[in-house]
Amino acid sequence: MGRAALLRSQSPAWWAERLREMLRIRHFEVRAEEAYRQGEIGGFFHSYTGQEPIQCCVVSIFGVKNWYITSYRCHALALLLGATPDELMAELFGRAPGNAKGRGGSMHFFTERLLGGFGIVGGQIPIATGAAFAVKYQGNDDECAICFLGDGAVAQGTFHESLNLASLWDLPCLYVIENNHWGMGTPVQKAVAVPRLAEDKAGGYGMKGYTINGLDFFACYEGFLRIAQEMKKERRPVLVEVLTERLRGHSISDAERYRSKDEIALLRENDPLIGFSQELIHGGILSQEEYDTIDREEKMRVIRAVQYAEKAPWPDPSELEEDVF
Amino acid sequence: MIESKVQVQRVEMREAIRQALDEEMARDDRVVILGEEVGEYQGAYKVTKGMLEKWGSRRVIDTPITESGFVGLAIGAALTGLVIPVVELMSFNFSFVAADQIISNAAKMHYMSGGRFSVPIVMRGPNGAAAQVSSQHSHCVEAIYSNLPGLKIVAPSNAYDAKGLLKSSIRAGEPILFLESELSYGEQMEIPSEEYLVPLGRARVVREGVHFTLITHGRMVAVALRAVEQLQQRGIFAELLDLRTLKPLDISTIAHSVRKTHRVLLVEEGHAYGGIAAEMAYQIMEHCFDFLDAPMIRICQKETPMPYSMVLEKETLPNVERILRGAEDLLKRCR
């Protein structure tokens, strides 16, 4: 589909909503990082900045009513699946009305259909496979499980075991490898023996594998649209590699000594959020003023979430030992 | 007075476990059996005999040898609330291959999700020593897993408890490690033909006594009982407790007994260091310090990996002789 035809395939309001989601995620990460640096947030903190098109496209195409599973880089997915900036920011601040009552923190967000934010690299892949098993077991043929993992997780044993089981048992699971090229500070080519993480691997499991450009929202959208149609028909697992860039370090404490300032500057020039918004404006989908309004609204929403979190009560220590069993 | 006669059946422990699975599968369509060789092969220890034929491959699922994969898959399926998996581990030693899934996911997800998600799953299979299977197939896992808040640990010692406790475990709605023993599967017992449950978290007084309290679990209950019977002939009456559930620990039943007998002998098939006996001794000290007439004694597996040779295996495990020696020591000890 050409770009113009693609833009016409959805209403301007639909595209504006995607932009709003991307901006919400971006502002959330920026403000949360600020709060972290001010000492309001503790623990690990992994920003989704730069990778927004991937989960925005997947959730908008597949819909909320599926089982979602991701790694510790989980802020965006929780927002996309309906968690409010307030509850998520309160969780980061470790407060009682937080998304997980202040027990999970940055790496462990949940919604009705988000089974987690999982903290161990690759640990979430069998979980997603199990959600797909449950969907198939109950004959919920309009649903599937969607598992996000990083390029670093491809080297884990759970990746192999899960894909083997999913293919063997025809489980409707979409595995999305978000290849941001770095497993913490180790480049992917020093971690995985083949260059194409999905296309070179999928065949070994009798699955289909695709590569998608995650820096281009429209390419991402078209790619996942095709995959969604295919999964609906075939009810089989699919492995996808999305080429992306994380514009921030692995985590907030990452000094990024493994890549140069010039490299990072170049990445920022290719920020998919800028590219996407400019195409919408140039394509006549929305005006600069409309963009500014959405941007301001989402920024204010996140600022209010920070204010909410600052004032939210701390967890009551008398509830410390609840919910263990 | 009307006497109701309870219908009984004489079954092996493996059959009692099978009946629990069968009844729970009939009760709730979400219950599935999953594991290596559980279907076509009828179970490595024949616990799931006939289940594939009865329930079909939708609910009795043979897995490849991929513990991390299928245990994790079962935990994920349980998280959705759509499936209640009963995972058979051919040996609990294989649970180590899936340790991250059990520890990081099954144990922690309910708490970490703010109580939003539960993990209704039972992982069951033989634990501890069998007959000369050496170091990598003989470990008792209960001490390792009992250090993880979020897991309940159940260890039946006989067919009656195995059936009733397994049914309760499947209904519990939380992650449960159900530890059986390969050496006990063939042991027979009369159990009711009618359905019954045994509640989790309650120890059982196997033998009432006065001179000391002997506390143990799993296969060691039968070994300890032999020692208790020998002591009885010498006029020493030990009170024997079977923990049945290791976590949460039924400290109330334990304390009740210790306050009566004032002396404690702890027997554990697993290793001494950081073991279940070590934890119990601490809790008994906390709750019964002023009632103790002597320091407690524990008889555990010695601090070596399990050797193969019959002679060495017998020496490292708790046995009747070691328990009797421990009892003699205990009764000689003064405060």
Side-chain angles (χ1 to χ4, degrees), chain A residues 24-48:
Chain A
R24 182 176 308 153
I25 294 164
R26 182 64 60 94
H27 284 300
F28 185 89
E29 298 292 41
V30 168
R31 294 287 157 174
E33 229 180 287
E34 254 176 48
Y36 191 102
R37 293 191 194 286
Q38 288 160 10
E40 298 275 14
I41 297 171
F44 296 129
F45 182 105
H46 308 87
S47 172
Y48 199 65

mmCIF file of all heavy atoms in Angstrom, chain A residues 24-48:
data_model
loop_
_atom_site.group_PDB
_atom_site.id
_atom_site.type_symbol
_atom_site.label_atom_id
_atom_site.label_comp_id
_atom_site.label_asym_id
_atom_site.label_seq_id
_atom_site.Cartn_x
_atom_site.Cartn_y
_atom_site.Cartn_z
ATOM 1 N N ARG A 24 1.969 10.117 24.929
ATOM 2 C CA ARG A 24 1.744 9.807 26.347
ATOM 3 C C ARG A 24 2.914 8.965 26.891
ATOM 4 O O ARG A 24 3.446 9.230 27.955
ATOM 5 C CB ARG A 24 0.427 9.038 26.515
ATOM 6 C CG ARG A 24 0.091 8.726 27.975
ATOM 7 C CD ARG A 24 -1.259 8.049 28.066
ATOM 8 N NE ARG A 24 -2.259 8.845 27.352
ATOM 9 C CZ ARG A 24 -3.364 8.346 26.807
ATOM 10 N NH1 ARG A 24 -3.628 7.048 26.907
ATOM 11 N NH2 ARG A 24 -4.208 9.121 26.177
ATOM 12 N N ILE A 25 3.292 7.976 26.099
ATOM 13 C CA ILE A 25 4.410 7.117 26.513
ATOM 14 C C ILE A 25 5.682 7.949 26.656
ATOM 15 O O ILE A 25 6.403 7.860 27.648
ATOM 16 C CB ILE A 25 4.620 5.977 25.486
ATOM 17 C CG1 ILE A 25 3.416 5.030 25.483
ATOM 18 C CG2 ILE A 25 5.910 5.216 25.769
ATOM 19 C CD1 ILE A 25 3.336 4.125 24.264
ATOM 20 N N ARG A 26 5.931 8.793 25.643
ATOM 21 C CA ARG A 26 7.159 9.586 25.648
ATOM 22 C C ARG A 26 7.207 10.530 26.858
ATOM 23 O O ARG A 26 8.198 10.579 27.578
ATOM 24 C CB ARG A 26 7.279 10.376 24.333
ATOM 25 C CG ARG A 26 8.552 11.203 24.206
ATOM 26 C CD ARG A 26 9.813 10.345 24.170
ATOM 27 N NE ARG A 26 9.856 9.399 23.069
ATOM 28 C CZ ARG A 26 10.452 9.645 21.891
ATOM 29 N NH1 ARG A 26 11.061 10.782 21.676
ATOM 30 N NH2 ARG A 26 10.460 8.713 20.953
ATOM 31 N N HIS A 27 6.107 11.231 27.070
ATOM 32 C CA HIS A 27 6.082 12.159 28.210
ATOM 33 C C HIS A 27 6.187 11.405 29.534
ATOM 34 O O HIS A 27 6.833 11.868 30.466
ATOM 35 C CB HIS A 27 4.806 13.008 28.192
ATOM 36 C CG HIS A 27 4.852 14.092 27.160
ATOM 37 N ND1 HIS A 27 5.817 15.075 27.165
ATOM 38 C CD2 HIS A 27 4.054 14.350 26.095
ATOM 39 C CE1 HIS A 27 5.614 15.893 26.135
ATOM 40 N NE2 HIS A 27 4.550 15.474 25.464
ATOM 41 N N PHE A 28 5.550 10.244 29.575
ATOM 42 C CA PHE A 28 5.613 9.441 30.799
ATOM 43 C C PHE A 28 7.065 9.081 31.121
ATOM 44 O O PHE A 28 7.540 9.253 32.248
ATOM 45 C CB PHE A 28 4.765 8.169 30.657
ATOM 46 C CG PHE A 28 4.695 7.352 31.918
ATOM 47 C CD1 PHE A 28 3.698 7.590 32.852
ATOM 48 C CD2 PHE A 28 5.633 6.360 32.188
ATOM 49 C CE1 PHE A 28 3.631 6.857 34.037
ATOM 50 C CE2 PHE A 28 5.577 5.620 33.367
ATOM 51 C CZ PHE A 28 4.574 5.875 34.290
ATOM 52 N N GLU A 29 7.770 8.598 30.105
ATOM 53 C CA GLU A 29 9.160 8.173 30.329
ATOM 54 C C GLU A 29 10.041 9.365 30.704
ATOM 55 O O GLU A 29 10.889 9.267 31.595
ATOM 56 C CB GLU A 29 9.719 7.476 29.077
ATOM 57 C CG GLU A 29 8.977 6.198 28.666
ATOM 58 C CD GLU A 29 9.124 5.023 29.632
ATOM 59 O OE1 GLU A 29 9.073 5.249 30.854
ATOM 60 O OE2 GLU A 29 9.253 3.877 29.154
ATOM 61 N N VAL A 30 9.834 10.478 30.034
ATOM 62 C CA VAL A 30 10.667 11.661 30.295
ATOM 63 C C VAL A 30 10.450 12.159 31.719
ATOM 64 O O VAL A 30 11.398 12.397 32.465
ATOM 65 C CB VAL A 30 10.360 12.774 29.264
ATOM 66 C CG1 VAL A 30 10.989 14.100 29.698
ATOM 67 C CG2 VAL A 30 10.876 12.365 27.887
ATOM 68 N N ARG A 31 9.185 12.291 32.108
ATOM 69 C CA ARG A 31 8.884 12.813 33.456
ATOM 70 C C ARG A 31 9.291 11.819 34.547
ATOM 71 O O ARG A 31 9.766 12.222 35.605
ATOM 72 C CB ARG A 31 7.390 13.124 33.586
ATOM 73 C CG ARG A 31 6.931 14.251 32.695
ATOM 74 C CD ARG A 31 7.426 15.605 33.207
ATOM 75 N NE ARG A 31 7.454 16.557 32.108
ATOM 76 C CZ ARG A 31 7.720 17.850 32.249
ATOM 77 N NH1 ARG A 31 7.996 18.358 33.447
ATOM 78 N NH2 ARG A 31 7.730 18.637 31.198
ATOM 79 N N ALA A 32 9.091 10.536 34.271
ATOM 80 C CA ALA A 32 9.472 9.531 35.269
ATOM 81 C C ALA A 32 10.987 9.533 35.464
ATOM 82 O O ALA A 32 11.489 9.420 36.574
ATOM 83 C CB ALA A 32 8.985 8.149 34.837
ATOM 84 N N GLU A 33 11.708 9.686 34.356
ATOM 85 C CA GLU A 33 13.171 9.731 34.452
ATOM 86 C C GLU A 33 13.612 10.930 35.287
ATOM 87 O O GLU A 33 14.541 10.831 36.094
ATOM 88 C CB GLU A 33 13.765 9.806 33.050
ATOM 89 C CG GLU A 33 14.869 8.786 32.869
ATOM 90 C CD GLU A 33 15.510 8.818 31.490
ATOM 91 O OE1 GLU A 33 14.832 8.367 30.540
ATOM 92 O OE2 GLU A 33 16.657 9.276 31.379
ATOM 93 N N GLU A 34 12.941 12.036 35.087
ATOM 94 C CA GLU A 34 13.234 13.239 35.889
ATOM 95 C C GLU A 34 13.020 12.959 37.373
ATOM 96 O O GLU A 34 13.857 13.280 38.214
ATOM 97 C CB GLU A 34 12.276 14.360 35.477
ATOM 98 C CG GLU A 34 12.909 15.449 34.636
ATOM 99 C CD GLU A 34 11.841 16.446 34.205
ATOM 100 O OE1 GLU A 34 11.039 16.912 35.063
ATOM 101 O OE2 GLU A 34 11.805 16.720 33.000
ATOM 102 N N ALA A 35 11.878 12.351 37.660
ATOM 103 C CA ALA A 35 11.549 12.050 39.060
ATOM 104 C C ALA A 35 12.567 11.071 39.644
ATOM 105 O O ALA A 35 12.928 11.160 40.814
ATOM 106 C CB ALA A 35 10.143 11.462 39.156
ATOM 107 N N TYR A 36 13.026 10.168 38.786
ATOM 108 C CA TYR A 36 14.038 9.208 39.240
ATOM 109 C C TYR A 36 15.312 9.949 39.642
ATOM 110 O O TYR A 36 15.889 9.708 40.698
ATOM 111 C CB TYR A 36 14.350 8.204 38.116
ATOM 112 C CG TYR A 36 15.178 7.021 38.577
ATOM 113 C CD1 TYR A 36 14.585 5.794 38.806
ATOM 114 C CD2 TYR A 36 16.556 7.143 38.781
ATOM 115 C CE1 TYR A 36 15.333 4.706 39.228
ATOM 116 C CE2 TYR A 36 17.309 6.065 39.211
ATOM 117 C CZ TYR A 36 16.695 4.843 39.431
ATOM 118 O OH TYR A 36 17.442 3.770 39.855
ATOM 119 N N ARG A 37 15.718 10.878 38.768
ATOM 120 C CA ARG A 37 16.962 11.614 39.046
ATOM 121 C C ARG A 37 16.831 12.483 40.292
ATOM 122 O O ARG A 37 17.810 12.817 40.935
ATOM 123 C CB ARG A 37 17.354 12.460 37.836
ATOM 124 C CG ARG A 37 17.741 11.588 36.660
ATOM 125 C CD ARG A 37 18.390 12.324 35.525
ATOM 126 N NE ARG A 37 18.423 11.470 34.339
ATOM 127 C CZ ARG A 37 19.244 10.431 34.190
ATOM 128 N NH1 ARG A 37 20.095 10.132 35.148
ATOM 129 N NH2 ARG A 37 19.201 9.699 33.107
ATOM 130 N N GLN A 38 15.605 12.860 40.618
ATOM 131 C CA GLN A 38 15.395 13.641 41.840
ATOM 132 C C GLN A 38 15.261 12.733 43.076
ATOM 133 O O GLN A 38 14.974 13.210 44.169
ATOM 134 C CB GLN A 38 14.133 14.499 41.702
ATOM 135 C CG GLN A 38 14.330 15.671 40.744
ATOM 136 C CD GLN A 38 13.020 16.233 40.222
ATOM 137 O OE1 GLN A 38 11.953 15.867 40.704
ATOM 138 N NE2 GLN A 38 13.104 17.109 39.238
ATOM 139 N N GLY A 39 15.407 11.435 42.858
ATOM 140 C CA GLY A 39 15.381 10.517 43.988
ATOM 141 C C GLY A 39 13.990 10.092 44.428
ATOM 142 O O GLY A 39 13.826 9.461 45.466
ATOM 143 N N GLU A 40 12.970 10.403 43.602
ATOM 144 C CA GLU A 40 11.599 10.029 43.972
ATOM 145 C C GLU A 40 11.292 8.571 43.634
ATOM 146 O O GLU A 40 10.372 7.965 44.167
ATOM 147 C CB GLU A 40 10.585 10.908 43.223
ATOM 148 C CG GLU A 40 10.685 12.382 43.543
ATOM 149 C CD GLU A 40 9.906 12.761 44.789
ATOM 150 O OE1 GLU A 40 9.506 11.845 45.547
ATOM 151 O OE2 GLU A 40 9.709 13.958 45.011
ATOM 152 N N ILE A 41 12.053 8.039 42.656
ATOM 153 C CA ILE A 41 11.809 6.672 42.176
ATOM 154 C C ILE A 41 13.082 5.868 42.397
ATOM 155 O O ILE A 41 14.182 6.380 42.184
ATOM 156 C CB ILE A 41 11.433 6.689 40.671
ATOM 157 C CG1 ILE A 41 10.115 7.452 40.463
ATOM 158 C CG2 ILE A 41 11.350 5.282 40.106
ATOM 159 C CD1 ILE A 41 9.764 7.710 39.008
ATOM 160 N N GLY A 42 12.938 4.641 42.828
ATOM 161 C CA GLY A 42 14.113 3.808 43.084
ATOM 162 C C GLY A 42 14.172 2.601 42.167
ATOM 163 O O GLY A 42 13.406 2.483 41.217
ATOM 164 N N GLY A 43 15.092 1.719 42.439
ATOM 165 C CA GLY A 43 15.186 0.441 41.721
ATOM 166 C C GLY A 43 15.716 0.589 40.309
ATOM 167 O O GLY A 43 16.406 1.541 39.983
ATOM 168 N N PHE A 44 15.363 -0.376 39.477
ATOM 169 C CA PHE A 44 15.749 -0.310 38.069
ATOM 170 C C PHE A 44 14.703 0.483 37.306
ATOM 171 O O PHE A 44 13.546 0.586 37.724
ATOM 172 C CB PHE A 44 15.857 -1.707 37.467
ATOM 173 C CG PHE A 44 16.950 -2.536 38.091
ATOM 174 C CD1 PHE A 44 16.691 -3.811 38.554
ATOM 175 C CD2 PHE A 44 18.236 -2.036 38.208
ATOM 176 C CE1 PHE A 44 17.699 -4.588 39.119
ATOM 177 C CE2 PHE A 44 19.245 -2.802 38.774
ATOM 178 C CZ PHE A 44 18.974 -4.078 39.235
ATOM 179 N N PHE A 45 15.097 1.024 36.166
ATOM 180 C CA PHE A 45 14.166 1.820 35.363
ATOM 181 C C PHE A 45 14.594 1.686 33.911
ATOM 182 O O PHE A 45 15.674 2.114 33.533
ATOM 183 C CB PHE A 45 14.233 3.290 35.811
ATOM 184 C CG PHE A 45 13.277 4.197 35.079
ATOM 185 C CD1 PHE A 45 12.116 4.656 35.700
ATOM 186 C CD2 PHE A 45 13.533 4.617 33.773
ATOM 187 C CE1 PHE A 45 11.236 5.497 35.032
ATOM 188 C CE2 PHE A 45 12.648 5.443 33.092
ATOM 189 C CZ PHE A 45 11.505 5.888 33.734
ATOM 190 N N HIS A 46 13.751 1.068 33.096
ATOM 191 C CA HIS A 46 14.086 0.843 31.690
ATOM 192 C C HIS A 46 13.107 1.616 30.815
ATOM 193 O O HIS A 46 11.920 1.325 30.799
ATOM 194 C CB HIS A 46 14.026 -0.642 31.349
ATOM 195 C CG HIS A 46 14.828 -1.499 32.286
ATOM 196 N ND1 HIS A 46 14.307 -1.985 33.464
ATOM 197 C CD2 HIS A 46 16.106 -1.936 32.232
ATOM 198 C CE1 HIS A 46 15.241 -2.704 34.088
ATOM 199 N NE2 HIS A 46 16.340 -2.679 33.364
ATOM 200 N N SER A 47 13.635 2.576 30.076
ATOM 201 C CA SER A 47 12.782 3.455 29.270
ATOM 202 C C SER A 47 12.422 2.816 27.927
ATOM 203 O O SER A 47 13.233 2.125 27.319
ATOM 204 C CB SER A 47 13.523 4.772 29.034
ATOM 205 O OG SER A 47 12.815 5.559 28.114
ATOM 206 N N TYR A 48 11.201 3.080 27.483
ATOM 207 C CA TYR A 48 10.744 2.563 26.176
ATOM 208 C C TYR A 48 10.971 3.589 25.062
ATOM 209 O O TYR A 48 10.617 3.357 23.912
ATOM 210 C CB TYR A 48 9.257 2.203 26.273
ATOM 211 C CG TYR A 48 8.788 1.253 25.188
ATOM 212 C CD1 TYR A 48 9.284 -0.041 25.109
ATOM 213 C CD2 TYR A 48 7.846 1.649 24.239
ATOM 214 C CE1 TYR A 48 8.863 -0.917 24.121
ATOM 215 C CE2 TYR A 48 7.408 0.776 23.253
ATOM 216 C CZ TYR A 48 7.917 -0.501 23.190
ATOM 217 O OH TYR A 48 7.493 -1.373 22.216
#
